[in-house]
Every structure is written in structure tokens, then in C-alpha cells.
Amino acid sequence: AIQQEGLKERLTPKYDEESGGNISRHLSFLCGVINRAKIPVFERVLWRASRGKALLRHMEIEEVLKDPATEEEIPKSTFIVYFQGEQLKMRVKKICEGLGATTYPCKEDWEERRQTEAEVDKRLEELTSILNETKNHRFRMLNTVVSSINSWIIQVRKVKAICTR
């Protein structure tokens, strides 16, 4: 319970005296995937382009992913860049594009992100159940073939014996 209260405090939007609104509404972010080898360059270029006003967080993806263009396996990392302002947003997008990062749209509102996550989880469950049903159907079909295979082998041998004479 104490950890949840601390989390709520950190996630609760703060009030900005100057602009008369929430600070969190001014903070934007961009997330995506980038080649693991390009992370140090990405950090330096972001730091220099934003003059230290963009915050980058990244995490390695444990499984190696295939590049859709070349079909070769490339180790990748996910990233999220926090920044403030439209000009910086355009710079970050151009840097991502220049380094070959794949960016993904992510809703600004926390509730919309939560709803999207629930929809994706539901879709994953549906696809998993479809795959399991397909696997079970294939297993049942193979079992029926196994029970008939001996009689088929005998029929093939008889036909071969008649045709080769």
C-alpha cells in the first residue's frame, strides 16, 4: 500500500504556477525500437540536439529480432524519449529517422494507453486461443491418419504389385 501511494504521488500531475496548468500536459514523449549498436550515438546526438533537455530511457530486448527489410537478425533496444515542445519533438523525430529507429504511436493520455493495452491483451488472448485450437485440430487429424496409415500402406503395396507385373 505504501509503494502504491508513492507511485500515485509520482504519477500525479503537478501544478505549474506560471502557465496555470499541469506540468505533465507539457511533457511529451516518443517511443520506439533501435539497433542496440546505435544507442550510444543516439544518446549523444539527442543530448547535443536538445542541449540536455531531452531524457532518454532505453532497455535491451532480450530476444534477437529480424529486420523486416533484410531478414537478418539484429539485436535491438526499446527506447522512450521525454521532451518538451514541438520544435524538440521534430528534432527527436528527425534523429530517430536518421538513425533508422522505428517509432510507434503512443497516446498521450494515461487512460487511453491503459485502454489500448487492454485491447492488445484481449487480441493476444484471442490469437493464442486460435493458435491452440488450430494445433489441437492438426493433432486430431494426424491421429486419424495414424489409425488409417497401415491400411493405406497395404493398399499401396497391392496396387504396386499389380502395376509392376
Side-chain angles (χ1 to χ4, degrees):
I2 295 173
Q3 286 179 330
Q4 287 180 343
E5 288 176 19
L7 181 62
K8 282 183 183 177
E9 286 177 17
R10 284 185 275 160
L11 294 177
T12 304
K14 306 288 190 259
Y15 188 77
D16 183 14
E17 295 290 331
E18 292 177 16
S19 64
N22 291 332
I23 291 176
S24 65
R25 293 189 188 198
H26 302 294
L27 195 62
S28 299
F29 58 90
L30 186 71
C31 54
V33 177
I34 191 168
N35 188 335
R36 215 177 278 168
K38 294 182 181 179
I39 287 287
V41 175
F42 190 41
E43 286 177 323
R44 281 193 303 271
V45 171
L46 271 176
W47 180 261
R48 290 179 181 155
S50 69
R51 298 185 178 124
K53 293 181 181 161
L55 175 66
L56 171 69
R57 295 284 181 233
H58 61 88
M59 181 176 278
E60 293 182 1
I61 299 174
E62 292 177 8
E63 61 187 72
V64 180
L65 303 175
K66 283 189 178 181
D67 185 20
T70 61
E71 292 295 324
E72 67 181 61
E73 292 184 347
I74 300 174
K76 295 199 174 196
S77 293
T78 60
F79 68 86
I80 186 165
V81 181
Y82 297 97
F83 51 85
Q84 202 170 13
E86 284 299 313
Q87 283 185 334
L88 197 50
K89 182 177 187 175
M90 298 310 294
R91 284 185 197 167
V92 171
K93 282 185 177 182
K94 284 183 182 180
I95 292 167
C96 290
E97 189 178 301
L99 290 173
T102 306
T103 56
Y104 296 99
C106 191
K107 306 228 188 302
E108 293 285 330
D109 184 38
W110 188 77
E111 281 299 318
E112 289 178 8
R113 286 195 308 268
R114 193 58 115 175
Q115 185 179 9
T116 303
E117 180 185 15
E119 290 170 5
V120 168
D121 286 342
K122 183 180 176 185
R123 181 79 173 129
L124 278 173
E125 286 178 21
E126 289 174 1
L127 290 174
T128 303
S129 69
I130 289 170
L131 286 173
N132 287 336
E133 287 177 28
T134 304
K135 191 178 193 180
N136 290 338
H137 178 70
R138 186 180 340 137
F139 184 73
R140 286 192 304 272
M141 291 299 292
L142 288 174
N143 277 337
T144 58
V145 168
V146 165
S147 63
S148 304
I149 192 107
N150 288 332
S151 64
W152 293 348
I153 291 173
I154 293 169
Q155 287 176 350
V156 168
R157 286 183 182 160
K158 286 180 182 178
V159 170
K160 277 177 129 181
I162 294 171
C163 292
T164 56
R165 284 188 181 182

